[in-house]
Amino acid sequence: MADEKLFSGIKAGAIELKNRVVMAPLTRNRARAEDDSVHELQAQYYAQRAGAGLIITEASQISPQGKGYAWTPGIYSEAQIDGWKKVSEAVHAEGGKIVIQLWHVGRISHYSLQQDGGAPVAPSAIGAKAKTFDGEQFVETSEPRALGIEEIAGLVADYRQAAENAKRAGFDGVEVHAANGYLIDQFLRDGSNKREDEYGGPVENRARFLKEVMDAVVDVWGAERVGVRLSPFSDANNISDSDPQATFSHAIKLLNSYGLAYLHLVEGQTGGPRDIPEGGDLKALYELFDGAKMGNNAYDREMAVEAVETGAVDLVAFGRPFISNPDLVNRLEKGAALNELDPTTLYGGNEKGYTDYPALAEEAVAAE
């Protein structure tokens, strides 16, 4: 076994991890079309990757309204809870740990994906001018309507119920998705939040929705089994803020007060360059948080080892390498070559490009 710290155990809150390599949340669009539930294929997929210290599931909508893409899973119905229970049991049987990422897309949706063809919701009625997938093609996101203040408590209740459902499904914890231009991020950023009530204006108000969601989820799970994902310097889904350093400094100070399991930061652009814009200071943001710090974005083995050894982060999340390498941790430990990713099978489909990537042992047998 490699002796680098990356491959040593760590306790993230109350979650005991066998190593510091995390499988990042990866949307794969393979939920059942009829009810947005996962099934045996997902159980196999995640179990294959249980060598990770922690698996974070693909983003899962907390309600029908929270859906923004075709064939993404939910965590609000009995069928969905039952499907996710198969996944958590399969991962645990392989000695892994798994949390579910709780998601509401806000304005990143389309009328055809909403109940009764309604408008997506957002803090303010400002279109994202982004794209989503409706099951047939990529389409422009629909114009959202601004949430009434009386609706926000209902959204918080949806997060609470989703957290309770995740507990019933046997997860080890939950991650609140507050990144990448989705609903919580839309509230945080002044480019998408132009409200004039207690949820808009100064950053203290814009962070109010995040706080209320965290209060609800932590009440269900206890802070030590809750993580949060932020993307301070990403403009994913055309999100923007006039002073992201100040906005996310406030948000992280708020999150630090809970004693969470971990803070998960997208470093730079989501799925893009790691560059931090002028005026941004990623190190300063990490230093505001006292718990386990998880870095994410285009890490390779060398970068991950160095980041953990130097204490820049405690955990490193890998995304696409986990898709094509179910035994990624073993390969990283051994310094072995990685399987090449087939980009044509990333989204939608069946087992091809999903559960059929070989592990090292399988490759060795095939080569004999």
Side-chain angles (χ1 to χ4, degrees):
M1 180 173 176
D3 59 3
E4 289 98 343
K5 193 174 181 181
L6 179 66
F7 306 106
S8 66
I10 186 174
K11 193 171 184 182
I15 310 172
E16 294 274 1
L17 309 182
K18 58 192 173 188
N19 58 63
R20 297 160 187 252
V21 178
V22 176
M23 179 177 170
L26 294 156
T27 294
R28 303 301 306 278
N29 303 84
R30 282 169 166 84
R32 286 195 172 105
E34 61 268 27
D35 61 5
D36 292 339
S37 68
V38 298
H39 44 97
E40 289 76 9
L41 191 63
Q42 281 85 5
Q44 181 184 355
Y45 167 76
Y46 284 112
Q48 287 175 339
R49 290 153 179 80
L54 180 66
I55 292 172
I56 307 170
T57 73
E58 60 210 277
S60 302
Q61 53 259 16
I62 60 168
S63 67
Q65 185 195 69
K67 181 177 180 177
Y69 305 83
W71 313 325
T72 55
I75 184 62
Y76 56 84
S77 74
E78 289 301 315
Q80 293 163 1
I81 295 166
D82 290 345
W84 280 121
K85 190 172 183 180
K86 291 183 177 72
V87 170
S88 67
E89 288 174 347
V91 169
H92 291 153
E94 295 296 327
K97 298 289 175 68
I98 183 168
V99 301
I100 187 170
Q101 190 183 63
L102 304 181
W103 191 32
H104 192 304
V105 301
R107 68 184 186 174
I108 307 302
S109 190
H110 187 265
Y111 302 132
S112 65
L113 298 166
Q114 293 289 305
Q115 288 185 315
D116 302 320
V121 298
S124 302
I126 302 170
K129 296 180 171 57
K131 295 274 191 181
T132 189
F133 182 67
D134 68 359
E136 295 183 0
Q137 59 188 337
F138 282 93
V139 294
E140 293 280 347
T141 51
S142 300
E143 290 298 304
R145 64 174 180 83
L147 283 157
I149 196 165
E150 72 283 354
E151 294 179 274
I152 294 177
L155 284 168
V156 174
D158 287 341
Y159 274 97
R160 176 185 291 274
Q161 185 62 58
E164 291 174 350
N165 293 346
K167 186 171 278 191
R168 289 178 54 203
F171 286 102
D172 297 293
V174 298
E175 177 177 287
V176 174
H177 195 348
N180 296 349
Y182 296 117
L183 184 63
I184 296 175
D185 206 15
Q186 291 161 27
F187 269 93
L188 283 172
R189 311 262 197 151
D190 60 15
S192 49
N193 184 348
K194 303 296 185 183
R195 299 179 72 94
E196 297 180 353
D197 56 21
E198 58 261 48
Y199 291 92
V203 67
E204 293 81 7
N205 286 1
R206 287 182 278 120
R208 189 182 305 273
F209 182 58
L210 171 64
K211 181 181 187 303
E212 291 178 353
V213 169
M214 295 307 301
D215 287 346
V217 174
V218 164
D219 188 52
V220 173
W221 274 96
E224 69 279 1
R225 290 190 177 272
V226 177
V228 179
R229 189 187 206 197
L230 300 174
S231 54
F233 304 113
S234 175
D235 61 7
N237 289 310
N238 287 328
I239 202 75
S240 66
D241 190 83
S242 62
D243 190 350
Q245 189 72 26
T247 293
F248 286 93
S249 292
H250 179 86
I252 292 171
K253 288 176 186 175
L254 167 65
L255 294 170
N256 190 55
S257 68
Y258 289 95
L260 300 173
Y262 63 85
L263 174 67
H264 179 184
L265 292 188
V266 177
E267 300 176 350
Q269 290 295 334
T270 304
R274 292 177 51 83
D275 302 335
I276 304 301
E278 185 177 352
D281 187 339
L282 189 66
K283 183 173 182 287
L285 293 182
Y286 274 128
E287 288 174 348
L288 295 172
F289 190 74
D290 296 325
K293 304 167 182 63
M294 183 187 302
N296 183 333
N297 197 9
Y299 274 88
D300 59 20
R301 186 188 196 282
E302 182 180 0
M303 291 166 58
V305 166
E306 180 181 5
V308 172
E309 292 290 344
T310 61
V313 297
D314 304 290
L315 304 157
V316 176
F318 289 82
R320 290 191 172 199
F322 256 117
I323 292 176
S324 53
N325 298 276
D327 59 339
L328 181 64
V329 176
N330 185 36
R331 289 175 186 264
L332 292 174
E333 284 182 336
K334 294 179 176 178
L338 303 185
N339 293 324
E340 189 173 340
L341 179 73
D342 177 2
T344 67
T345 59
L346 283 176
Y347 306 113
N350 49 28
E351 69 277 355
K352 182 173 173 54
Y354 194 62
T355 56
D356 61 351
Y357 283 107
L360 277 175
E362 294 166 331
E363 289 181 350
V365 170
E368 290 178 356

